[in-house]
Amino acid sequence: MTHALTDHPYFGVFVLVALTGIAFPATLFLARWVGRKLSRLDTERLKMSIYECGPLPTRQPNAISIQFYLIALLFILFDVEIIFMFPWAIDFKLLGWFGFAEMILFIVLLTIGFVYAWKKGALEWHSIK
Amino acid sequence: MMEVTYLGVIIKAILILAIISAVAGFGTYIERKILAFMQRRLGPMHVGPYGLLQIAADGIKLFTKEDFIPQNANKLIFMIAPIITAATAFIALSAVPVFPDFTIFGIFVPSVASDINIGILFVLGMMAAGLYGPLLAGMSQANKWGLIGAARTAAQFVSYEVVTGLSLLAPIMMVGSLSLIDFNHYNETHAWMVFTQPLAFVLFLIAGFAETNRTPFDLLEHEAEVVAGYATEYSGMRWGMFFIGEYANMITIAVLASIVFLGGYTDLGFIPGWLAIILKIAFMFFLMLWVRASWPHVRPDQFMWLAWKVLMPLAVINVVITGIVIMV
């Protein structure tokens, strides 16, 4: 297995984007068409409503726990860290001790933030006890 | 070394789409059989010999079901969400060497459809973009189970993406490239990465299980807690699309683990490379089913606790230790 000799390495990605962009919607369209021909289409309210345990449901509020937002915030912090670390990891041997020391400093700064988030209870799922 | 033609790349892309879709369909049969044998049952037996035609029966069922969209749902988003899941799973596979090089009718078909220099980063990015499938699906259906499933999806994917990225950093530092072909070359001359980076392998496996929603971590569609999570309102082929996407992601994780940690396409004693990679992928796939049969679900708070307080610090420590070892 060797590296490919080609001027346009991203052509394969383009082909797959195009293929999946055509094939999957076409499959779903076909399934929708077949389903409409064969299934019993009635518009009874209980059938058309969302899944509940029997009664006709009312519209439900779109509200989720604040905990999920905290995790999203933490994610932004640490994923940006990782994006900075990828180029450093590739050139790790070229950068030598200097690059390594700088990355250690960066990790230490982030660890301080991480410890702060931990102590503040951002990593606990609230009110379990 | 042969010139890669456009036709070769197109053939490769069609092969990826056809073979991985078929393997995803067959994977459901294998999963049911293996789970059944582990629980001393027979599994599907009635359709065809040993239930082999079960896939065809399931396909007919999925195709002929009514394509149901609930009343208050956001129709457009509800309809495109499954396509996002399936499409991103297959686009991620374009940068992965799935089968070895071969030549057919004089046309050279490369092992990897798109030999881009950011290989692993592209695969991880595309799998992360797959998050939008379950997220939009859950939020568009105006159902509380779907909404909870969507929120859990977001929390689970983003937490474990951090772990996947950090666990792959240490191997990247050793190889000095993001291309999976360079990882394969590295494995030809060095010991398997699983022996030099055992911690990274374990972390990658756990995070990979979480990113493909395999059972110890399938919180987003856990029947006992949130009816079917993001897929509550889906039926027929639209639901099938989520399934195809999930199995394609499982294969992607299996291929990544085989190439980065388990030696990739190198010959294994008397076993040639092309067979060795297939055996490794099959073993990884079997491992996912084995874990599913062996382990109970985890609770969402335990799951987040595991990601942030255990796995992520371990991964950072692993990166630092790897750096010190390489430097000294």
Side-chain angles (χ1 to χ4, degrees):
Chain A
M1 203 168 54
T2 48
H3 276 293
L5 288 173
T6 172
D7 297 334
H8 302 285
Y10 282 87
F11 181 68
V13 175
F14 169 74
V15 173
L16 261 164
V17 169
L19 263 181
T20 52
I22 296 166
F24 290 139
T27 315
L28 287 183
F29 184 79
L30 191 69
R32 190 174 175 78
W33 185 77
V34 173
R36 293 212 154 192
K37 290 281 170 203
L38 293 176
S39 60
R40 212 181 81 217
L41 295 167
D42 69 32
T43 48
E44 188 200 345
R45 271 193 75 198
L46 198 54
K47 179 198 157 195
M48 296 306 291
S49 64
I50 54 172
Y51 176 86
E52 248 323 324
C53 37
L56 271 178
T58 51
R59 205 178 161 78
Q60 289 153 348
N62 268 1
I64 51 175
S65 166
I66 186 79
Q67 198 67 34
F68 290 112
Y69 294 93
L70 279 178
I71 285 177
L73 276 176
L74 282 174
F75 162 71
I76 291 171
L77 182 71
F78 288 101
D79 213 41
V80 170
E81 168 199 12
I82 292 167
I83 289 168
F84 280 130
M85 283 168 92
F86 265 101
W88 166 79
I90 296 171
D91 284 340
F92 179 71
K93 285 170 188 163
L94 291 176
L95 292 172
W97 280 108
F98 177 66
F100 187 58
E102 283 209 321
M103 188 45 71
I104 293 287
L105 194 67
F106 184 59
I107 290 175
V108 166
L109 286 176
L110 269 150
T111 311
I112 295 170
F114 178 68
V115 171
Y116 175 75
W118 190 329
K119 288 286 173 218
K120 276 281 178 187
L123 304 177
E124 311 286 336
W125 209 264
H126 63 125
S127 72
I128 269 186
K129 282 167 191 153
Chain B
M1 205 184 239
M2 288 180 81
E3 187 77 30
V4 175
T5 53
Y6 289 128
L7 201 58
V9 172
I10 292 172
I11 291 175
K12 180 71 186 180
I14 294 171
L15 274 181
I16 287 179
L17 194 63
I19 293 182
I20 303 294
S21 301
V23 169
F26 197 62
T28 60
Y29 169 77
I30 293 172
E31 173 160 16
R32 289 173 69 177
K33 268 292 187 202
I34 288 177
L35 282 182
F37 286 142
M38 285 187 176
Q39 296 162 352
R40 296 198 161 198
R41 292 184 286 119
L42 284 175
M45 283 299 279
H46 288 286
V47 195
Y50 298 98
L52 268 170
L53 292 176
Q54 188 68 40
I55 321 154
D58 286 345
I60 291 169
K61 188 197 78 177
L62 287 179
F63 246 85
T64 50
K65 267 194 164 182
E66 182 188 349
D67 189 18
F68 174 74
I69 297 171
Q71 248 170 0
N72 292 329
N74 185 330
K75 278 212 172 79
L76 179 70
I77 293 177
F78 187 85
M79 284 166 80
I80 62 170
I83 300 173
I84 295 176
T85 305
T88 50
F90 281 91
I91 295 166
L93 275 166
S94 67
V96 175
V98 196
F99 335 103
D101 303 319
F102 64 93
T103 311
I104 183 168
F105 303 128
I107 302 162
F108 175 66
V109 179
S111 68
V112 45
S114 198
D115 179 21
I116 49 184
N117 50 8
I118 58 163
I120 286 189
L121 201 60
F122 179 83
V123 175
L124 290 181
M126 233 40 232
M127 287 183 70
L131 155 72
Y132 284 106
L135 185 65
L136 292 177
M139 293 181 80
S140 67
Q141 54 190 250
N143 181 342
K144 65 183 170 203
W145 308 118
L147 192 68
I148 296 171
R152 284 184 173 195
T153 314
Q156 171 174 334
F157 272 56
V158 300
S159 303
Y160 278 83
E161 241 176 74
V162 175
V163 181
T164 324
L166 278 172
S167 68
L168 282 176
L169 265 180
I172 290 167
M173 281 158 71
M174 290 172 74
V175 175
S177 167
L178 286 171
S179 170
L180 284 163
I181 293 180
D182 290 339
F183 270 92
N184 196 38
H185 288 322
Y186 182 88
N187 278 320
E188 280 166 7
T189 48
H190 298 71
W192 285 9
M193 202 76 91
V194 66
F195 300 121
T196 46
Q197 289 286 351
L199 186 61
F201 179 63
V202 173
L203 291 173
F204 178 75
L205 262 193
I206 296 175
F209 277 40
E211 287 211 29
T212 47
N213 321 327
R214 295 311 297 169
T215 280
F217 310 131
D218 69 340
L219 303 169
L220 38 153
E221 43 179 348
H222 188 188
E223 310 83 24
E225 291 171 5
V226 285
V227 180
Y230 66 88
T232 304
E233 299 294 346
Y234 280 91
S235 64
M237 209 51 214
R238 268 180 222 288
W239 177 82
M241 283 283 152
F242 282 121
F243 229 72
I244 292 174
E246 185 182 320
Y247 276 80
N249 273 335
M250 276 167 74
I251 291 166
T252 312
I253 288 288
V255 178
L256 275 187
S258 315
I259 289 177
V260 175
F261 293 104
L262 296 178
Y265 287 79
T266 47
D267 295 345
L268 196 69
F270 62 92
I271 303 172
W274 63 271
L275 188 61
I277 189 86
I278 290 174
L279 287 176
K280 284 166 194 165
I281 294 171
F283 173 74
M284 291 300 298
F285 198 87
F286 174 71
L287 188 69
M288 291 180 177
L289 308 184
W290 191 1
V291 169
R292 176 172 177 180
S294 314
W295 290 86
H297 293 272
V298 296
R299 232 167 45 203
D301 65 303
Q302 294 171 331
F303 189 54
M304 293 299 132
W305 170 86
L306 180 70
W308 290 103
K309 291 188 183 171
V310 181
L311 299 183
M312 204 198 69
L314 272 180
V316 173
I317 291 168
N318 189 35
V319 168
V320 173
I321 291 175
T322 308
I324 291 171
V325 170
I326 292 178
M327 279 320 216
V328 173

